[in-house]
Amino acid sequence: MNLQENTQRWLPKVRKMALSLPMALLAAMVLVGINETGHMRSQDALEQMDQSMATRGDVNKLLQSMLDAETGQRGYLLTGNETYLEPYDKAVATVQTNLDRLRNQFMNSPDDMQEFALLSRQISRKLAEMELSLRLRRKGNEDAWKFILNTDVGKEHMEAIRTHAQELIARSDLRLSQGQQQIEQSLTLSRIGIATVTVIGLLAFYMYLRQTQAVQAVNLREQALLERERDRLEGLVRERTATLSELANHLQQVREEERGHLARELHDELGALLTAAKLDVARLKSKINATAPDVAERLKHLTDTLNSGIALKRRIIEDLRPSSLSNLGLTAALEILTREYAERAGIEVETSLEAVQLPDATQLTVYRMVQEALTNIGKYAKAKKVLVSVHAHPTHVAVQVRDDGVGFDPATVRPTSHGLAGMRHRVEAAGGRLALTSRPGNGTLLSAVLPLQRAPAAVQAIAALGD
């Protein structure tokens, strides 16, 4: 299953997961709306309850004022003491204040206003009846005020006042009960809303968790798929690298074989021809008259030309396949190489060479490395002094070529620098490591570490016995 197919599989799950957030936001908005509605309804209910309580209290105060007025009026009538008129007057003033307050409270309620009008009318009658009795008592008309006092008119008026007042109180109690019910309904609605929103939130959270787990599982599968693909590609790269490395080693070997073959051909064929030509010139020189200036000069020029050709042949052969390496060993070959380079380039070359035991292929690798390094120094370094060192260690051989030239920044070396790449490939093919250290103005150090290939223990023991 490729990446595109997996993406198409988990994309709907991601969309479902994306729905959980709008659900949670919607639930939060619904909860806020429910709370605001419940708060407003509760506020209205509280205001209604406060108004009902105030109405109840004012009605009770009105009844109490009427009772106080009646008590003061009767006390004066029975005793004639003016002190009883003080609570009467005060109660009458309070009655008028309570009536004004109740009238303002019932302005927006026609039913209550109608009942209040009846109550107000009865209170006016009662106050008129009491005021009439007081006037008659002050005038000394004993029979008249006693007649009024003994009749049931005052009682009937008070009963009517109590009836209308109780009706207003009952209506206030009804509104108070309705307000309580409204608050209870708001609380119930809030509880239901909170419970519903909680369930929706839990459902959204559950969906989010499930979809998150699904996305994580998909991510894990994708990661595993990518890791397998990466491992496959890395294996393919390693395989291709190994193939290329093997091919490069083969080409290097073929190149060295071709060089050896060419060196042998030059040595055998061209060397024989040049040697035969030189012998022929010497034979001609002995048989012709060499006293003629032009003949002697031509013979000398021909001899010098043949000698230069022989020297050129030898140098080309040494460059192709150093015979000193095969005949004299690595140390002597490097001494000859550095000495000839110093003479040819005019650069001071110091050597610190230790005898090492390396396979022929590795010895050729060291020789080629030093040869390439000296060539690069002559082209680019502008050095005055070069140090070539080979040191043997218990497990490896260290080869270094150091110069005091202009140096450079290794990071600026282009990938197409085949000289350095060829040296690194040669060293790594021999199992070693190549390092380059340089800075502008501080020269360059090229170092290689090559492993020693010791002979088996049995061979070493036989060699020791032979010594």
XYZ file of all heavy atoms in Angstrom, residues 302-395:
722
model
N 72.900 13.507 -32.629
C 72.113 12.276 -32.694
C 72.302 11.449 -31.439
O 71.342 10.878 -30.894
C 72.520 11.475 -33.937
C 71.773 10.167 -34.186
C 70.261 10.406 -34.276
C 72.274 9.486 -35.454
N 73.534 11.400 -30.942
C 73.798 10.649 -29.701
C 73.065 11.278 -28.526
O 72.442 10.578 -27.696
C 75.312 10.594 -29.425
O 75.979 10.000 -30.545
C 75.592 9.782 -28.185
N 73.121 12.601 -28.442
C 72.411 13.273 -27.332
C 70.908 13.055 -27.427
O 70.213 12.871 -26.398
C 72.720 14.776 -27.364
C 74.192 15.075 -27.041
O 74.828 14.194 -26.423
O 74.665 16.170 -27.399
N 70.398 13.092 -28.635
C 68.952 12.869 -28.810
C 68.556 11.474 -28.372
O 67.532 11.265 -27.695
C 68.559 13.085 -30.273
O 68.906 14.428 -30.654
C 67.062 12.890 -30.474
N 69.368 10.472 -28.740
C 69.077 9.098 -28.315
C 69.176 8.969 -26.792
O 68.341 8.276 -26.168
C 70.037 8.137 -28.994
C 69.815 7.959 -30.500
C 70.935 7.089 -31.097
C 68.468 7.314 -30.782
N 70.163 9.612 -26.203
C 70.275 9.564 -24.729
C 69.062 10.226 -24.068
O 68.527 9.722 -23.065
C 71.554 10.257 -24.281
C 72.796 9.455 -24.644
O 72.739 8.221 -24.758
N 73.930 10.127 -24.825
N 68.599 11.367 -24.621
C 67.403 12.021 -24.070
C 66.175 11.130 -24.229
O 65.321 11.053 -23.334
C 67.170 13.360 -24.775
O 68.257 14.234 -24.571
N 66.069 10.452 -25.373
C 64.946 9.538 -25.565
C 64.972 8.385 -24.590
O 63.928 7.975 -24.059
N 66.197 7.872 -24.330
C 66.316 6.775 -23.354
C 65.939 7.273 -21.960
O 65.235 6.587 -21.197
C 67.742 6.202 -23.394
C 67.982 5.500 -24.744
C 67.961 5.225 -22.250
C 69.426 5.075 -24.955
N 66.415 8.510 -21.599
C 66.059 9.057 -20.281
C 64.560 9.303 -20.167
O 63.928 9.021 -19.131
C 66.833 10.360 -20.049
N 63.948 9.819 -21.242
C 62.494 10.045 -21.243
C 61.741 8.731 -21.112
O 60.754 8.637 -20.384
C 62.098 10.760 -22.535
C 60.593 11.033 -22.714
C 60.050 11.903 -21.586
C 60.317 11.653 -24.078
N 62.270 7.711 -21.819
C 61.635 6.387 -21.708
C 61.685 5.884 -20.287
O 60.708 5.337 -19.761
C 62.334 5.434 -22.679
C 61.769 4.025 -22.707
C 62.544 3.050 -21.821
C 63.997 2.952 -22.232
N 64.719 1.943 -21.380
N 62.844 6.048 -19.647
C 62.965 5.583 -18.263
C 62.010 6.344 -17.332
O 61.383 5.746 -16.444
C 64.404 5.769 -17.802
C 65.388 4.794 -18.455
C 66.800 5.104 -18.024
N 67.757 4.177 -18.658
C 69.090 4.302 -18.551
N 69.625 5.324 -17.874
N 69.884 3.429 -19.150
N 61.900 7.703 -17.529
C 61.018 8.474 -16.650
C 59.554 8.090 -16.861
O 58.787 7.976 -15.898
C 61.220 9.970 -16.918
C 60.488 10.851 -15.899
C 60.938 12.300 -15.977
N 60.562 12.923 -17.243
C 61.428 13.242 -18.194
N 62.731 12.995 -18.027
N 61.023 13.813 -19.323
N 59.195 7.872 -18.128
C 57.807 7.459 -18.390
C 57.531 6.095 -17.776
O 56.468 5.855 -17.175
C 57.539 7.456 -19.908
C 57.590 8.884 -20.460
C 56.187 6.827 -20.210
C 57.475 8.962 -21.970
N 58.479 5.202 -17.902
C 58.296 3.865 -17.325
C 58.182 3.943 -15.821
O 57.344 3.260 -15.193
C 59.458 2.943 -17.760
C 59.342 2.638 -19.256
C 59.448 1.647 -16.964
C 60.525 1.853 -19.799
N 59.008 4.826 -15.195
C 58.941 4.968 -13.739
C 57.605 5.554 -13.305
O 57.074 5.186 -12.258
C 60.099 5.842 -13.256
C 61.460 5.166 -13.287
C 61.511 3.936 -12.387
O 60.958 3.992 -11.260
O 62.074 2.912 -12.809
N 57.093 6.501 -14.112
C 55.782 7.051 -13.777
C 54.675 6.019 -13.936
O 53.741 5.971 -13.137
C 55.481 8.276 -14.659
C 56.358 9.467 -14.278
O 56.870 9.474 -13.133
O 56.540 10.364 -15.117
N 54.808 5.182 -14.972
C 53.773 4.172 -15.194
C 53.851 3.058 -14.166
O 52.825 2.647 -13.596
C 53.901 3.608 -16.607
C 53.558 4.556 -17.753
C 53.877 3.890 -19.082
C 52.090 4.956 -17.706
N 54.998 2.584 -13.929
C 55.190 1.467 -12.994
C 56.600 1.575 -12.408
O 57.576 1.187 -13.042
C 55.032 0.121 -13.706
C 55.034 -1.081 -12.774
C 53.730 -1.165 -12.011
N 53.643 -2.397 -11.233
C 52.598 -2.759 -10.516
N 51.542 -1.967 -10.496
N 52.582 -3.875 -9.837
N 56.708 2.151 -11.211
C 58.045 2.372 -10.648
C 58.786 1.054 -10.431
O 58.363 0.236 -9.603
C 57.764 3.109 -9.341
C 56.363 2.760 -8.999
C 55.641 2.582 -10.292
N 59.837 0.901 -11.161
C 60.632 -0.326 -10.983
C 61.346 -0.340 -9.647
O 61.601 -1.413 -9.090
C 61.664 -0.428 -12.119
O 62.533 0.707 -12.114
N 61.623 0.855 -9.114
C 62.291 0.903 -7.810
C 61.411 0.307 -6.728
O 61.899 -0.280 -5.758
C 62.659 2.347 -7.466
O 61.477 3.161 -7.467
N 60.082 0.461 -6.884
C 59.169 -0.090 -5.877
C 59.203 -1.606 -5.910
O 59.175 -2.253 -4.853
C 57.745 0.428 -6.135
C 56.669 0.006 -5.133
C 56.981 0.549 -3.749
C 55.292 0.496 -5.598
N 59.284 -2.167 -7.097
C 59.306 -3.626 -7.213
C 60.660 -4.205 -6.828
O 60.742 -5.292 -6.237
C 58.947 -4.040 -8.643
O 57.685 -3.535 -9.013
N 61.733 -3.462 -7.128
C 63.078 -3.999 -6.928
C 63.692 -3.610 -5.591
O 64.409 -4.411 -4.975
C 63.995 -3.530 -8.056
C 63.494 -4.003 -9.414
O 62.960 -5.116 -9.529
N 63.661 -3.190 -10.448
N 63.399 -2.383 -5.113
C 64.081 -1.881 -3.920
C 63.175 -1.736 -2.707
O 63.674 -1.560 -1.595
C 64.721 -0.515 -4.241
C 65.711 -0.509 -5.409
C 66.205 0.904 -5.665
C 66.885 -1.451 -5.138
N 61.869 -1.749 -2.911
C 60.962 -1.596 -1.780
C 60.399 -0.190 -1.672
O 60.806 0.746 -2.375
N 59.441 -0.021 -0.757
C 58.706 1.241 -0.628
C 59.615 2.371 -0.164
O 59.564 3.476 -0.700
C 57.520 1.076 0.350
C 56.702 2.326 0.626
C 56.045 2.838 -0.660
C 55.640 2.051 1.690
N 60.452 2.119 0.834
C 61.280 3.199 1.392
C 62.216 3.763 0.341
O 62.310 4.989 0.143
C 62.069 2.678 2.596
O 61.145 2.155 3.566
C 62.877 3.785 3.227
N 62.941 2.903 -0.355
C 63.868 3.371 -1.375
C 63.120 4.054 -2.515
O 63.584 5.072 -3.054
C 64.681 2.194 -1.900
N 61.971 3.514 -2.908
C 61.204 4.122 -3.995
C 60.753 5.532 -3.623
O 60.794 6.448 -4.445
C 60.009 3.250 -4.333
N 60.315 5.729 -2.368
C 59.898 7.064 -1.935
C 61.087 8.017 -1.867
O 60.957 9.207 -2.185
C 59.202 6.986 -0.571
C 57.835 6.297 -0.559
C 57.268 6.245 0.861
C 56.848 6.999 -1.486
N 62.259 7.522 -1.439
C 63.448 8.382 -1.425
C 63.813 8.835 -2.836
O 64.118 10.008 -3.060
C 64.616 7.634 -0.788
C 64.455 7.429 0.716
C 65.605 6.623 1.304
O 66.400 6.082 0.516
O 65.697 6.541 2.549
N 63.767 7.910 -3.783
C 64.071 8.279 -5.169
C 63.030 9.261 -5.688
O 63.364 10.262 -6.346
C 64.122 7.019 -6.041
C 65.294 6.121 -5.602
C 64.235 7.371 -7.511
C 65.308 4.764 -6.274
N 61.754 9.009 -5.398
C 60.670 9.873 -5.871
C 60.831 11.288 -5.330
O 60.729 12.277 -6.075
C 59.310 9.299 -5.462
C 58.083 10.155 -5.779
C 57.912 10.307 -7.285
C 56.829 9.537 -5.157
N 61.063 11.417 -4.023
C 61.185 12.749 -3.418
C 62.440 13.475 -3.906
O 62.406 14.698 -4.100
C 61.197 12.623 -1.888
O 62.232 11.694 -1.488
C 59.859 12.107 -1.374
N 63.547 12.707 -4.081
C 64.781 13.351 -4.542
C 64.616 13.889 -5.962
O 64.969 15.032 -6.255
C 65.942 12.363 -4.477
C 67.290 12.999 -4.853
C 68.446 12.041 -4.633
N 68.346 10.854 -5.471
C 68.043 9.634 -5.010
N 67.799 9.456 -3.712
N 67.976 8.599 -5.835
N 64.057 13.094 -6.844
C 63.851 13.548 -8.216
C 62.855 14.709 -8.260
O 63.026 15.650 -9.054
C 63.361 12.396 -9.075
C 64.420 11.314 -9.310
C 63.885 10.186 -10.159
O 62.654 10.183 -10.422
O 64.676 9.290 -10.547
N 61.817 14.685 -7.415
C 60.841 15.773 -7.386
C 61.502 17.063 -6.916
O 61.250 18.147 -7.465
C 59.659 15.418 -6.465
C 58.701 16.547 -6.244
C 57.754 16.878 -7.205
C 58.768 17.324 -5.082
C 56.875 17.929 -7.012
C 57.892 18.373 -4.890
C 56.959 18.680 -5.851
O 56.101 19.732 -5.656
N 62.365 16.949 -5.869
C 63.055 18.140 -5.361
C 63.945 18.747 -6.433
O 64.003 19.976 -6.593
C 63.852 17.786 -4.108
N 64.671 17.880 -7.171
C 65.529 18.401 -8.225
C 64.716 19.031 -9.349
O 65.088 20.078 -9.890
C 66.394 17.271 -8.779
C 67.408 16.714 -7.757
C 68.153 15.511 -8.289
O 67.789 15.056 -9.410
O 69.044 14.998 -7.596
N 63.619 18.418 -9.714
C 62.822 18.888 -10.837
C 62.021 20.143 -10.482
O 61.886 21.062 -11.292
C 61.878 17.777 -11.304
C 61.099 18.105 -12.555
C 60.399 16.878 -13.115
N 59.433 16.313 -12.202
C 59.603 15.169 -11.535
N 60.740 14.472 -11.675
N 58.672 14.714 -10.717
N 61.448 20.214 -9.234
C 60.584 21.335 -8.843
C 61.343 22.451 -8.146
O 60.788 23.553 -7.985
C 59.462 20.838 -7.931
N 62.549 22.186 -7.701
C 63.293 23.216 -6.976
C 62.719 23.489 -5.601
O 62.791 24.625 -5.124
N 62.161 22.483 -4.945
C 61.557 22.607 -3.615
C 62.320 21.699 -2.656
O 62.657 20.553 -2.998
C 60.063 22.225 -3.627
C 59.293 23.140 -4.577
C 59.453 22.299 -2.238
C 57.842 22.757 -4.750
N 62.571 22.200 -1.448
C 63.253 21.387 -0.437
C 62.287 20.336 0.081
O 61.180 20.650 0.532
C 63.728 22.269 0.708
C 64.464 21.491 1.788
C 64.863 22.367 2.967
O 64.636 23.599 2.903
O 65.382 21.818 3.950
N 62.734 19.077 0.033
C 61.902 17.966 0.480
C 62.669 17.190 1.543
O 63.752 16.681 1.278
C 61.512 17.036 -0.684
C 60.637 15.895 -0.170
C 60.774 17.805 -1.773
N 62.081 17.108 2.743
C 62.648 16.302 3.818
C 61.848 15.009 3.930
O 60.628 14.997 3.694
C 62.601 17.050 5.140
C 63.519 18.246 5.203
C 63.518 18.885 6.581
O 62.829 18.337 7.472
O 64.189 19.914 6.765
N 62.504 13.943 4.315
C 61.840 12.643 4.457
C 62.128 12.062 5.829
O 63.195 12.275 6.407
C 62.306 11.669 3.375
O 63.727 11.515 3.459
C 61.916 12.167 1.993
N 61.139 11.381 6.359
C 61.289 10.611 7.591
C 60.591 9.283 7.338
O 59.389 9.136 7.581
C 60.665 11.362 8.780
O 60.748 10.586 9.963
N 61.376 8.327 6.817
C 60.796 7.085 6.308
C 61.268 5.912 7.144
O 62.466 5.718 7.364
C 61.208 6.883 4.842
C 60.898 8.051 3.897
C 61.465 7.779 2.514
C 59.400 8.301 3.821
N 60.317 5.142 7.617
C 60.618 3.912 8.340
C 60.248 2.727 7.460
O 59.305 2.787 6.682
C 59.829 3.845 9.650
C 60.208 4.911 10.666
C 59.405 4.775 11.944
O 58.552 3.845 12.015
O 59.600 5.591 12.864
N 61.013 1.672 7.627
C 60.716 0.447 6.876
C 59.429 -0.175 7.395
O 59.251 -0.340 8.607
C 61.873 -0.537 6.992
N 58.526 -0.492 6.494
C 57.233 -1.073 6.870
C 56.985 -2.306 6.016
O 57.496 -2.419 4.896
C 56.091 -0.051 6.683
C 56.230 1.099 7.667
C 56.058 0.481 5.260
N 56.197 -3.187 6.587
C 55.833 -4.416 5.889
C 54.386 -4.295 5.416
O 53.452 -4.399 6.194
C 55.987 -5.631 6.824
C 57.404 -5.864 7.307
C 58.338 -6.251 6.156
O 57.924 -6.890 5.183
N 59.600 -5.860 6.265
N 54.230 -4.036 4.123
C 52.907 -3.886 3.533
C 52.804 -4.735 2.276
O 53.817 -4.972 1.606
C 52.648 -2.418 3.176
C 52.490 -1.423 4.340
C 52.431 0.002 3.812
C 51.243 -1.726 5.156
N 51.606 -5.172 1.928
C 51.426 -5.900 0.665
C 51.806 -5.012 -0.518
O 51.850 -3.781 -0.425
C 49.939 -6.243 0.668
C 49.503 -6.149 2.084
C 50.351 -5.106 2.714
N 52.082 -5.653 -1.640
C 52.508 -4.905 -2.828
C 51.460 -3.878 -3.249
O 51.797 -2.746 -3.618
C 52.789 -5.881 -3.981
C 53.991 -6.777 -3.688
O 54.790 -6.402 -2.796
O 54.109 -7.838 -4.338
N 50.180 -4.271 -3.190
C 49.118 -3.344 -3.590
C 49.063 -2.132 -2.668
O 48.874 -0.990 -3.113
C 47.768 -4.060 -3.599
N 49.251 -2.367 -1.366
C 49.233 -1.252 -0.413
C 50.459 -0.369 -0.591
O 50.380 0.861 -0.466
C 49.153 -1.799 1.021
O 48.044 -2.702 1.133
C 48.963 -0.673 2.019
N 51.615 -0.983 -0.866
C 52.809 -0.185 -1.127
C 52.592 0.717 -2.345
O 52.975 1.895 -2.347
C 54.010 -1.107 -1.368
C 54.493 -1.821 -0.118
C 55.761 -2.619 -0.366
O 56.470 -2.384 -1.354
N 56.062 -3.561 0.521
N 51.958 0.165 -3.376
C 51.667 0.976 -4.554
C 50.694 2.105 -4.212
O 50.825 3.227 -4.728
C 51.087 0.092 -5.657
C 50.766 0.793 -6.982
C 52.031 1.430 -7.569
C 50.151 -0.190 -7.964
N 49.724 1.829 -3.315
C 48.791 2.870 -2.874
C 49.530 4.010 -2.193
O 49.271 5.193 -2.459
C 47.740 2.256 -1.926
O 46.978 1.286 -2.633
C 46.816 3.333 -1.386
N 50.476 3.678 -1.282
C 51.250 4.714 -0.593
C 52.085 5.509 -1.593
O 52.163 6.743 -1.540
C 52.132 4.074 0.496
C 53.043 5.120 1.132
C 51.264 3.408 1.558
N 52.707 4.809 -2.521
C 53.547 5.485 -3.509
C 52.710 6.448 -4.355
O 53.105 7.586 -4.580
C 54.229 4.425 -4.386
C 55.201 5.018 -5.383
C 56.529 5.226 -5.030
C 54.784 5.360 -6.669
C 57.431 5.774 -5.946
C 55.672 5.909 -7.588
C 56.988 6.104 -7.222
O 57.882 6.653 -8.119
N 51.561 5.980 -4.842
C 50.718 6.829 -5.670
C 50.185 8.028 -4.882
O 50.043 9.129 -5.412
C 49.545 6.032 -6.227
C 49.936 4.954 -7.216
C 50.625 5.536 -8.424
N 50.833 4.505 -9.463
C 51.652 4.650 -10.479
N 52.382 5.760 -10.590
N 51.781 3.692 -11.378
N 49.879 7.808 -3.611
C 49.391 8.907 -2.780
C 50.451 9.993 -2.649
O 50.167 11.193 -2.824
C 48.998 8.368 -1.401
C 48.719 9.449 -0.378
S 48.560 8.790 1.286
C 48.880 10.299 2.222
N 51.686 9.582 -2.332
C 52.772 10.560 -2.195
C 53.042 11.231 -3.539
O 53.261 12.448 -3.627
C 54.026 9.878 -1.636
C 55.193 10.865 -1.595
C 53.750 9.323 -0.245
N 53.012 10.458 -4.595
C 53.264 11.002 -5.927
C 52.200 12.045 -6.292
O 52.521 13.138 -6.777
C 53.272 9.861 -6.947
C 53.667 10.275 -8.350
C 53.617 9.098 -9.313
O 52.731 8.233 -9.210
N 54.573 9.035 -10.236
N 50.924 11.744 -6.069
C 49.852 12.682 -6.377
C 49.931 13.922 -5.492
O 49.689 15.049 -5.955
C 48.483 12.002 -6.193
C 47.285 12.854 -6.564
C 47.201 13.141 -8.054
O 47.752 12.335 -8.841
O 46.591 14.166 -8.419
N 50.275 13.730 -4.207
C 50.393 14.865 -3.303
C 51.507 15.808 -3.749
O 51.336 17.039 -3.753
C 50.636 14.383 -1.880
N 52.658 15.251 -4.150
C 53.757 16.095 -4.622
C 53.365 16.821 -5.905
O 53.729 17.988 -6.110
C 55.004 15.247 -4.838
C 55.624 14.636 -3.569
C 56.787 13.734 -3.922
C 56.078 15.732 -2.615
N 52.622 16.157 -6.772
C 52.166 16.806 -8.009
C 51.263 17.992 -7.700
O 51.398 19.075 -8.292
C 51.438 15.788 -8.892
O 52.318 14.699 -9.194
C 50.975 16.433 -10.181
N 50.331 17.817 -6.758
C 49.433 18.913 -6.384
C 50.199 20.060 -5.726
O 49.861 21.236 -5.942
C 48.345 18.402 -5.441
C 47.356 17.483 -6.138
O 47.208 17.540 -7.360
N 46.707 16.616 -5.370
N 51.187 19.723 -4.892
C 51.987 20.776 -4.259
C 52.699 21.603 -5.329
O 52.757 22.837 -5.256
C 52.993 20.155 -3.274
C 52.240 19.565 -2.061
C 54.003 21.180 -2.792
C 53.122 18.754 -1.136
N 53.276 20.909 -6.327
C 53.957 21.640 -7.398
C 53.022 22.516 -8.199
O 53.429 23.569 -8.711
N 51.734 22.131 -8.340
C 50.785 22.905 -9.145
C 50.187 24.078 -8.377
O 50.018 25.171 -8.944
C 49.655 22.000 -9.637
C 50.075 21.002 -10.699
C 48.875 20.175 -11.130
C 49.248 19.168 -12.209
N 48.070 18.360 -12.619
N 49.820 23.869 -7.105
C 48.965 24.835 -6.424
C 49.548 25.423 -5.145
O 49.184 26.542 -4.781
C 47.609 24.178 -6.065
C 46.963 23.444 -7.200
C 46.848 22.056 -7.189
C 46.454 24.127 -8.298
C 46.250 21.371 -8.233
C 45.848 23.450 -9.355
C 45.750 22.073 -9.310
O 45.160 21.415 -10.349
N 50.411 24.707 -4.446
C 50.736 25.096 -3.069
C 51.679 26.288 -2.979
O 51.649 27.018 -1.989
C 51.343 23.912 -2.314
N 52.560 26.477 -3.979
C 53.595 27.513 -3.898
C 54.426 27.349 -2.628
O 54.725 28.315 -1.911
C 52.973 28.909 -3.938
C 52.170 29.198 -5.201
C 51.568 30.588 -5.171
C 50.723 30.834 -6.426
N 50.097 32.190 -6.419
N 54.779 26.093 -2.358
C 55.497 25.787 -1.121
C 57.006 25.909 -1.333
O 57.517 25.816 -2.454
C 55.148 24.379 -0.652
N 57.701 26.105 -0.217
C 59.162 26.142 -0.223
C 59.766 24.908 0.434
O 60.934 24.603 0.204
C 59.660 27.392 0.499
C 59.237 28.690 -0.171
C 59.761 29.884 0.603
C 59.348 31.198 -0.069
N 59.825 32.382 0.703
N 58.934 24.237 1.235
C 59.462 23.083 1.955
C 58.363 22.046 2.097
O 57.197 22.387 2.359
C 59.972 23.500 3.334
C 60.681 22.391 4.090
C 61.239 22.916 5.398
C 61.976 21.829 6.164
N 62.534 22.333 7.446
N 58.758 20.770 1.927
C 57.806 19.656 2.021
C 58.416 18.595 2.930
O 59.621 18.327 2.865
C 57.480 19.066 0.633
C 56.513 17.893 0.764
C 56.892 20.128 -0.282
N 57.560 17.987 3.761
C 57.984 16.896 4.637
C 57.154 15.677 4.310
O 55.917 15.721 4.357
C 57.803 17.266 6.108
C 58.059 16.145 7.120
C 59.522 15.656 7.042
C 57.727 16.587 8.538
N 57.836 14.554 3.974
C 57.186 13.277 3.697
C 57.640 12.301 4.769
O 58.839 12.097 4.968
C 57.552 12.757 2.292
C 56.877 11.408 2.044
C 57.140 13.758 1.219
N 56.627 11.700 5.453
C 56.966 10.783 6.553
C 56.132 9.530 6.441
O 54.962 9.569 6.033
C 56.735 11.452 7.906
O 55.366 11.785 8.077
N 56.790 8.397 6.788
C 56.123 7.095 6.871
C 56.572 6.468 8.177
O 57.763 6.253 8.392
C 56.482 6.185 5.680
C 55.806 4.820 5.854
C 56.057 6.819 4.369
N 55.611 6.181 9.069
C 55.932 5.627 10.376
C 55.104 4.373 10.599
O 53.908 4.338 10.270
C 55.649 6.638 11.488
C 56.511 7.867 11.408
N 57.861 7.847 11.671
C 56.204 9.151 11.075
C 58.365 9.065 11.524
N 57.368 9.879 11.157
N 55.773 3.390 11.156
C 55.117 2.110 11.451
C 54.665 2.091 12.897
O 55.414 2.485 13.801
C 56.077 0.954 11.171
N 53.455 1.623 13.118
C 52.875 1.454 14.447
C 52.481 -0.009 14.615
O 52.470 -0.775 13.633
C 51.682 2.376 14.622
C 52.030 3.841 14.544
N 52.488 4.558 15.613
C 51.997 4.709 13.491
C 52.708 5.810 15.256
N 52.421 5.923 13.955
N 52.128 -0.413 15.837
C 51.820 -1.845 16.037
C 50.681 -2.359 15.168
O 50.678 -3.527 14.774
C 51.456 -1.913 17.530
C 52.203 -0.778 18.154
C 52.206 0.305 17.127
N 49.709 -1.505 14.892
C 48.535 -1.984 14.136
C 48.341 -1.295 12.804
O 47.492 -1.714 12.017
C 47.253 -1.803 14.970
O 47.103 -0.413 15.286
C 47.318 -2.603 16.259
